[in-house]
Structure formats: C-alpha cells, structure tokens
Amino acid sequence: MATLAQNQLAPVEEAVGAEPLLTDAASLALHSHDVLSRGSEPLAVFRPSTVEELARGVGAATKAGIAIVPRGGGMSYTSGYLYDGGPFLLVDTGALDRVVDIDETDMTVTVEAGISWDKLYRTLQPHGLRVLAWGTLSGLRASVGGGMSQNGLFWGARRGGAVDSAISMDVVLADGTLISTGSDFFRPFGPDLTGLFAADCGAFGVKARVTLKLVREAAAFAYGSFSFDRHDALLGAMSAIARAELAAESFAFDPFLQSQRMKRDSLSGDARQLGNMLKAEAKSGGVLKAMKEGAKVAVAGRGFLKDVPFSLHCIAEGRHRSGVDADMMAIAAIVREHGGKEVENSIPKILRANPFPPPNSMLGPGGERWVPVHGFLPHSRLVEGWERLQDLWAGHRDEMARLKVETGALLAATGRTGCLIEPVFFWPGEHNPLHRSAIEPSHMAKLKSQADDPEANALVEELRRAVIAIFRELGAVHMQIGRAYPLKDSHDPAAWDILRALKRQVDPHGLMNPGSLEL
C-alpha cells in the first residue's frame, strides 16, 4: 500500500521519474539540518540533473500544492532551507554543476547554479581568470546558486558580495516557468531584474543558471599580518585601509578566535597547503623567493601569534610586483599610525593559496558546536558595535562559564563603506548529520562527540537574538537572511509593500520557500 508521502509525490514522479527523488532515511535526515538547527523532513529531496528537469519538477510539485524549498551547498545557519509548514520538496541543485560557457572575449562565464565556488575557481584557473567576487571560505561546498540566493562575501570583497558578480540569472519560478533576468553581458538593462532575484533566499525562485563577470587573475601578490593591542586601533586601521582600497582582502581575528585557530592542526604541518603556497609564490615571485617564503612559514609555525591580542591579515594584489609592494608598504604605514606592528604573514599566504579549505571549522577544535551571527556596519559604528558586544558577554559571563559557552569574532573589510563583525559561538553539544557529511572523515574522527545540552543551546539562541538586536539598533545589514535576521522592520513600509507585491507576482500561492525573508 502506498504511503501518504508516496501519494503526494506521485505527480512529481510522473513529471520527472523516480531517479531524481531521494526518499531514503539518510538523505531526508541530512537535508532537514543546517549548521545550527533541525526542521521537518521533506517528502523527498529533488536532485535534478538538467535545468529542464528542475522546471518540470517544481511546476508539478506546486500544482499539487507541495511547497518548494531550495538548498545550495547546505552551509546555512539561519534556517534558510528548513521548513515546518507542511509537505514540501527540498530542491538540491548539486547535480547541476556544469560550466556552460567561458567567454574570454566578453569576459563572462555561464554556469549551472549547483556548481561550487571551488570547482568554478579551478576551472577558470588555467585561463588566468576568476570571477569578480569569487566565493566564501566555505566554497568547497557552497554553490554559486546559493551565493546568488543568500549573498556571500569573502574573496573579492573589495569589489562587493557574490551577487555583485552576477550579470543575469535563469530562474525557475513557482509554477515551473523558466525566466532569464537580463542581458548576457551587461547589468542592468533597464530596471535591475537580476537584482530582484539576488539575495532572495529562494523566496522568489530557484536559481538554475548564472552568468558572471570575469576578471584577470592577479599576477603579483603581497602579504602582511599585524598585531594590535586594542580593538579600536584594529578597527581604525581596517577602516583606513578599506577606504584607501589598498588591500584586496583584509580580515582579522579577536584574541579568542585566534586562540581557537591556533589549537587546530598546524598550518605548516599540512603538506598540501604548504605546497600550494609554494606554487603560488613561485608563480608570483620566482622559485628562490618561494623557497625563502616557505622556509619562513615552516619555521614560524603558529608560535608567532602566541602573544598577539588582535591580528589583522591583508593581501594586496595586482598586475605588477612594484605596485603590490607599494600598496603593502602603505598598509604597514597605516598600521603603524594606529599603533600596530608587523608579525609573520603565514596566514594570508597559506589562505590565499588554499582559498577553499575543507569546512572542518564547522565544529570547534575540541568537537564543540559552532555557529556564527553577523552584521555589516559602517565604519563610523564599528567601535560602538564591538563595545556593545563585549558588554553583552560581560553581562552573561557567569552563565556562559557555567554552560561552557564561549565566543570570539571574525572581522573583515567589505569595501570603502563598512566592515563585517561576525561573532561565533562554541558550546558543548551533539553533532548532527550535516557535520558528519561535510567535515573530512579523518578530521571528524579526532573530535569528541558530546551529549546535547538544551540549556546551553537555549543560552546560545538567547545571545544570538541579543546580538541581532544590537546590530539592528546600529543599522546593520545582513546576508543569508533566511528565517533569522529581521528584514521587514529594516525596510520602509512602502518599500516592503513592493517586495510583497513581487512575491505575489512570482509566487501567487505562497509555495516558494514560504517564510524566508519574512514573506
């Protein structure tokens, strides 16, 4: 006798066949978890192998009253693809991972939405090309389509977020209609239709294909790492460097997060990472320079950060060695003006040569649960934002100590106008199926699994809400909005009405990722 789920899925199976519909217990359990939370299990995980199959499946599901919930690489921590509102089909675009076209004349690349940032980067490397903003640190698994839906930012941050790289998208709407959002070489042509589907968290449609802007890969690089005793000095230097546009990448760690990183496997102990760094250095500065830089990294290990309170790491890149060296000298001068000093620059060298590491940091170095929460603030509000966070931790110090909830922060410059502050929490708790799927098995085997602690979970959730409230009061903006960050209250009511009208137009029955973006 057919189950209720099988009966509900029958129209979808009739449209696409049984093969792309995963209903086994392991698949359903994995896809009902994100980094932090658990939602209801879907009727099935729909993993189409062609764009046409994607459109047929979505149209058949919604016609039968089944909601659609898109999922990218699964690195979300804001319940963006978790749903509890009734029967739904979770769309996994991971099999749509082809590079459709590389146009070196018009400097564009068209890809299917399920391709990872890492695969796209490696495909473009032999051509000496990369995307304008070319992915997040989770790019080994995070997908381009997920980046278009959630936005994302790290590599190429000086040029904007992931969605700023997009020229046009092919999007499957709730009724299965496939639309293209604009020109294939220039954005925008008239009102920015591509922008309407960017950072929508899947509320307006499922990304199927994306055309992205290309740039030439840099030929020369310079690296700098610096120590600061005080948060205001660090933030002042980061802001000055960002306003001057001297660094292609600029990121920093607070003392606690830095200590967590030092507990992990040694940078220089990973032969693959060091080898990639040597190759990059040889290409940029010659074999002799590469050997010298590799020796410095190996000798320094991680001890150079032992007594460093705050650390800032910068990468300058460009066409000529003299130019990037001059930029790094200017960065160092700004650092000195703000009371900082130079330290060994192993971290930016290793990271730039290995831009998409395995997502092993989804758990702490001792197996602790981990989750971030973030806000983008203008330069003028950074110090106030940082100090209010410290006041929050101080007000909960005893409870955090009792429940072993710890916190640190990543900071990153995001262009001329502002910076990212991303507090992260570590606390004891059990590992979920996403952890076991994403983290390297050899690394996972080293980590201690701990029992779930509902009281610690509740404290982390309370602190996350408090952080979001602080950021809201300071006028912060967010990416990966999902079901966690406030969007409606951050908009002018008349502007919000426009978003609601767009939602009704593209999804009249409210079946496309219902509840995301508060829509």
Side-chain angles (χ1 to χ4, degrees), residues 153-355:
L153 186 144
F154 194 83
W155 296 115
R158 181 170 65 180
R159 293 184 166 114
V163 299
D164 295 300
S165 292
I167 297 172
S168 65
M169 305 177 195
D170 292 343
V171 182
V172 176
L173 302 184
D175 65 356
T177 301
L178 180 66
I179 69 163
S180 182
T181 64
S183 162
D184 58 4
F185 75 100
F186 190 86
R187 170 186 169 191
F189 179 32
D192 189 5
L193 191 57
T194 298
L196 292 177
F197 287 89
D200 71 334
C201 295
F204 295 156
V206 183
K207 312 300 181 293
R209 285 183 289 255
V210 187
T211 296
L212 300 153
K213 304 171 188 175
L214 292 176
V215 296
R216 294 288 174 194
E217 178 61 282
F221 301 88
Y223 307 91
S225 292
F226 309 94
S227 167
F228 292 86
D229 293 330
R230 304 188 325 273
H231 66 278
D232 53 343
L234 166 69
L235 292 168
M238 284 189 73
S239 293
I241 292 165
R243 286 191 295 267
E245 298 185 282
L246 293 166
E249 324 293 345
S250 177
F251 56 95
F253 306 116
D254 83 327
F256 180 80
L257 192 57
Q258 190 162 267
S259 71
Q260 291 292 89
R261 291 184 63 83
M262 297 306 103
K263 292 177 186 177
R264 301 183 190 278
D265 293 340
S266 169
L267 282 170
S268 57
D270 186 326
R272 182 185 61 192
Q273 287 194 342
L274 189 57
N276 288 344
M277 193 213 83
L278 292 173
K279 291 177 184 177
E281 286 290 327
K283 185 175 180 180
S284 175
V287 175
L288 182 60
K289 183 176 186 298
M291 293 175 64
K292 289 180 179 179
E293 296 299 325
K296 285 169 63 180
V297 170
V299 170
R302 295 206 173 185
F304 69 94
L305 288 178
K306 181 179 179 182
D307 298 316
V308 173
F310 293 88
S311 66
L312 170 65
H313 309 279
C314 297
I315 303 171
E317 62 178 45
R319 292 188 293 271
H320 305 292
R321 166 62 54 188
S322 59
V324 298
D325 286 344
D327 285 343
M328 191 54 64
M329 288 177 62
I331 289 171
I334 290 173
V335 166
R336 289 192 296 271
E337 290 172 6
H338 287 80
K341 60 183 180 181
E342 293 188 55
V343 295
E344 177 56 47
N345 57 7
S346 302
I347 287 178
K349 288 177 188 172
I350 290 283
L351 194 57
R352 184 58 175 79
N354 303 272

Side-chain angles (χ1 to χ4, degrees), residues 17-176:
E19 186 174 351
L21 297 173
L22 309 180
T23 58
D24 61 285
S27 294
L28 299 182
L30 170 61
H31 290 82
S32 63
H33 288 82
D34 71 0
V35 172
L36 176 64
S37 305
R38 179 179 183 175
S40 297
E41 290 189 353
L43 294 173
V45 176
F46 176 34
R47 190 174 169 89
S49 57
T50 68
V51 170
E52 293 71 24
E53 187 174 67
L54 169 64
R56 289 200 308 274
V58 168
T62 57
K63 186 176 181 179
I66 299 170
I68 297 295
V69 177
R71 179 184 186 268
M75 298 293 99
S76 171
Y77 53 86
T78 58
S79 300
Y81 57 83
L82 303 184
Y83 182 60
D84 294 314
F88 71 101
L89 191 69
L90 187 136
V91 178
D92 176 359
T93 58
L96 298 173
D97 67 345
R98 289 170 280 272
V99 176
V100 178
D101 180 59
I102 301 172
D103 190 329
E104 297 190 49
T105 301
D106 295 335
M107 292 294 281
T108 65
V109 60
T110 300
V111 299
E112 292 180 335
I115 193 171
S116 71
W117 291 104
D118 173 68
K119 181 177 178 180
L120 177 56
Y121 178 70
R122 288 185 287 105
T123 301
L124 292 171
Q125 259 191 322
H127 301 268
L129 300 168
R130 60 176 167 82
V131 176
L132 185 71
W134 48 286
T136 58
L137 287 175
S138 57
L140 188 66
R141 292 179 67 93
S143 68
V144 170
M148 296 303 105
S149 292
Q150 300 269 47
N151 206 357
L153 186 144
F154 194 83
W155 296 115
R158 181 170 65 180
R159 293 184 166 114
V163 299
D164 295 300
S165 292
I167 297 172
S168 65
M169 305 177 195
D170 292 343
V171 182
V172 176
L173 302 184
D175 65 356

